[in-house]
């Protein structure tokens, strides 16, 4: 399904026809170097960057989409995948396919989105908590707000800065959808990524350079190519047949694979998320996420300095990415994508309720 290329991009294996060719055609159209359509040019801002297709030398018939790893810049990436829209089946789906999709989450039409999985770094325990798609399907109208709020909780506090920044980014995507009638999206998702380490937040707020946030050790592949290790790679080595296998830890890769059967259900079952302990660095000591018992005379002035006396744009500049992913069911249209718009608006409402309450 998903591999990590040595240059830091991710490789998403092309699905069988018609889904794979349709997704490739979508990326090719949006990222065409001759594209002068303002609607598509703006859409690029909300997608992972696309670097064409790639095939391993030993298996030239295996085709992969080469995409930006959105998690690469993060130290402790927290990741959530949310399918958007009232329908997770396309207009050409068979009655059997429609029934299959509806039965997975009957509330999809009413709620307009479905949480497919999340992975949250908890500062308090220096570990990750993961939830799979069964968690999302268990959410009801009454519990969906609390269910999503888990993604924004650090173990100490609710990251309202991340919620606010996420709302802003979704609103930009909604604005794009409100202004276009070229494309309709089905079974497509939003990928949320934010920095779970409060240490990084503290560094940013004090305007210290982030260049020293992470050292990147280097290694060599057997073929002599330089390999950069980052937070997304646990193991990478050459196999006997020359293919590269990657054990992907904290990156985008597992979340692409989480809700995709890829070429078979076997891929889906093999790529499961698990809680992993990360190295101890005591970042919580410098956290700006202060619990109630710490709100004494010494801390309050610091909080006021950080949160009340900085420009508004700084308050809302949490390190957050929200990108559209999965385009195997994108079709030309002459009308607005009302199903996707409905889902975005509902998701914004839920996030706003989390923020307000």
């Amino acid at each position: 399904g998903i591999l990590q290329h040595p240059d830091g991009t991710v490789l998403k294996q092309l699905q069988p026809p018609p889904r794979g060719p349709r997704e490739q055609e979508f990326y090719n159209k949006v990222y065409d170097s001759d594209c002068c359509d303002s609607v598509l040019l703006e859409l690029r801002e909300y997608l992972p960057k696309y670097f064409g297709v790639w095939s391993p030398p030993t298996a030239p018939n295996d085709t992969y989409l080469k995409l930006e790893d959105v998690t690469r810049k993060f130290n402790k990436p927290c990741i959530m995948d949310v399918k958007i829209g009232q329908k997770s089946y396309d207009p050409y789906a068979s009655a059997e396919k429609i029934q299959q999709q509806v039965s997975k989450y009957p509330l999809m039409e009413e709620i307009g989105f479905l949480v497919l999985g999340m992975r949250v770094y908890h500062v308090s325990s220096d570990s990750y908590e993961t939830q799979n798609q069964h968690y999302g399907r268990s959410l009801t109208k009454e519990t969906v707000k609390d269910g999503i709020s888990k993604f924004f909780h650090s173990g100490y506090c609710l990251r309202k800065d991340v919620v606010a920044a996420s709302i802003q980014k979704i609103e930009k995507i909604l604005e794009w959808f409100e202004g276009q009638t070229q494309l309709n999206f089905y079974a497509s998702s939003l990928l949320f990524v934010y920095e779970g380490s409060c240490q990084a937040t503290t560094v940013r707020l004090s305007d210290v350079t982030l260049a020293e946030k992470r050292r990147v050790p280097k290694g060599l592949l057997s073929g002599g190519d330089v390999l950069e290790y980052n937070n997304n790679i646990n193991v990478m080595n050459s196999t006997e047949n020359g293919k590269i296998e990657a054990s992907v830890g904290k990156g985008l890769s597992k979340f692409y694979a989480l809700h995709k059967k890829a070429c078979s259900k076997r891929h889906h079952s093999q790529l499961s998320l698990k809680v992993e302990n990360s190295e101890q660095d005591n970042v919580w000591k410098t956290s700006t996420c202060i619990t109630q018992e710490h709100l004494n005379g010494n801390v309050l002035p610091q909080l006021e300095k950080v949160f009340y006396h900085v420009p508004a744009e700084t308050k809302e500049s949490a390190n957050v990415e929200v990108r559209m992913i999965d385009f195997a069911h994108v079709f030309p249209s002459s009308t607005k994508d009302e199903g996707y718009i409905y889902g975005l608006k509902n998701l914004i409402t839920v996030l706003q309720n989390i923020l307000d309450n």
Side-chain angles (χ1 to χ4, degrees):
I2 301 294
L3 299 175
Q4 179 86 39
H5 193 279
D7 65 8
T9 59
V10 293
L11 301 170
K12 180 182 182 181
Q13 190 166 24
L14 209 63
Q15 299 177 69
R19 292 172 297 164
R22 190 186 295 134
E23 184 165 28
Q24 182 182 353
E25 181 183 359
F26 169 81
Y27 274 114
N28 286 338
K29 182 177 180 180
V30 174
Y31 283 92
D32 187 341
S33 58
D34 296 326
C35 177
C36 56
D37 186 330
S38 60
V39 171
L40 298 183
L41 291 174
E42 183 185 349
L43 178 59
R44 294 180 185 180
E45 299 177 29
Y46 313 121
L47 311 182
K49 291 183 177 66
Y50 173 61
F51 303 101
V53 295
W54 179 87
S55 296
T58 55
N61 293 327
D62 291 348
T63 304
Y64 294 81
L65 300 173
K66 200 164 185 285
L67 301 167
E68 172 191 7
D69 182 353
V70 181
T71 72
R72 185 175 172 82
K73 68 179 181 179
F74 294 92
N75 185 30
K76 303 289 186 182
C78 298
I79 308 169
M80 179 170 67
D81 185 335
V82 183
K83 184 185 289 187
I84 304 293
Q86 292 178 282
K87 297 177 181 178
S88 56
Y89 54 88
D90 65 53
Y92 303 99
S94 65
E96 182 182 1
K97 180 68 173 179
I98 292 174
Q99 180 58 38
Q100 178 195 56
Q101 290 298 315
V102 171
S103 65
K104 287 182 178 179
Y105 193 58
L107 286 175
M108 190 77 177
E109 187 167 357
E110 186 174 355
I111 295 179
F113 60 85
L114 167 63
V115 176
L116 292 172
M118 64 176 70
R119 193 168 190 276
V120 189
Y121 175 71
H122 286 171
V123 179
S124 53
S125 60
D126 191 22
S127 64
Y128 281 90
E129 176 188 355
T130 63
Q131 302 290 348
N132 62 21
Q133 56 188 318
H134 299 293
Y135 170 81
R137 289 174 187 167
S138 71
L139 299 178
T140 65
K141 291 183 293 182
E142 292 73 29
T143 62
V144 67
K145 187 189 83 168
D146 291 339
I148 288 183
S149 69
K150 287 173 68 77
F151 176 63
F152 299 99
H153 207 284
S154 70
Y156 279 123
C157 68
L158 182 69
R159 289 288 303 275
K160 288 196 171 187
D161 60 326
V162 176
V163 180
S166 297
I167 291 173
Q168 286 187 338
K169 290 182 179 292
I170 299 171
E171 285 176 339
K172 292 292 291 181
I173 295 174
L174 174 59
E175 186 178 333
W176 181 84
F177 270 91
E178 293 278 21
Q180 72 90 23
T181 57
Q182 295 186 30
L183 299 169
N184 279 5
F185 295 73
Y186 302 91
S188 185
S189 292
L190 288 184
L191 186 80
F192 293 76
V193 189
Y194 73 87
E195 179 56 66
S197 169
C198 284
Q199 183 182 46
T201 304
T202 306
V203 170
R204 262 197 320 281
L205 287 171
S206 58
D207 286 331
V208 176
T209 178
L210 289 176
E212 58 197 294
K213 186 178 72 172
R214 186 202 308 138
R215 289 186 176 182
V216 183
K218 294 185 177 181
L220 286 176
L221 291 175
S222 58
D225 297 324
V226 174
L227 166 64
E228 290 190 1
Y229 290 88
N230 59 38
N231 56 278
N232 300 314
I233 302 175
N234 286 341
V235 178
M236 182 177 284
N237 49 41
S238 297
T239 59
E240 291 180 1
N241 63 2
K243 289 186 179 180
I244 295 174
E245 293 183 345
S247 173
V248 183
K250 306 166 191 171
L252 173 62
S253 305
K254 284 190 178 179
F255 267 79
Y256 271 126
L258 178 65
H259 65 289
K260 282 293 184 189
K261 291 184 175 62
C263 295
S264 68
K265 293 182 180 178
R266 179 176 60 82
H267 286 138
H268 179 76
S269 62
Q270 286 177 346
L271 286 167
S272 59
L273 292 172
K274 60 184 178 180
V275 178
E276 298 174 26
N277 291 326
S278 54
E279 59 187 5
Q280 292 289 338
D281 54 9
N282 294 323
V283 297
W284 63 271
K285 291 181 179 179
T286 57
S287 169
T288 56
C289 304
I290 308 298
T291 51
Q292 187 63 41
E293 58 264 32
H294 292 126
L295 294 179
N296 52 38
N298 294 328
V299 175
L300 279 174
Q302 298 175 31
L303 288 176
E304 289 175 356
K305 180 178 181 181
V306 170
F307 291 109
Y308 296 104
H309 300 298
V310 294
E313 61 268 22
T314 305
K315 294 181 190 177
E316 298 166 352
S317 63
N319 197 3
V320 179
E321 291 285 354
V322 179
R323 304 287 187 94
M324 297 169 61
I325 59 172
D326 296 329
F327 307 110
H329 302 277
V330 178
F331 295 90
S333 175
S334 58
T335 61
K336 288 185 181 181
D337 191 341
E338 297 295 350
Y340 202 105
I341 290 172
Y342 177 89
L344 289 177
K345 287 182 176 179
N346 263 17
L347 182 56
I348 289 172
T349 298
V350 170
L351 294 177
Q352 193 63 54
N353 287 338
I354 293 173
L355 195 60
D356 294 341
N357 296 331

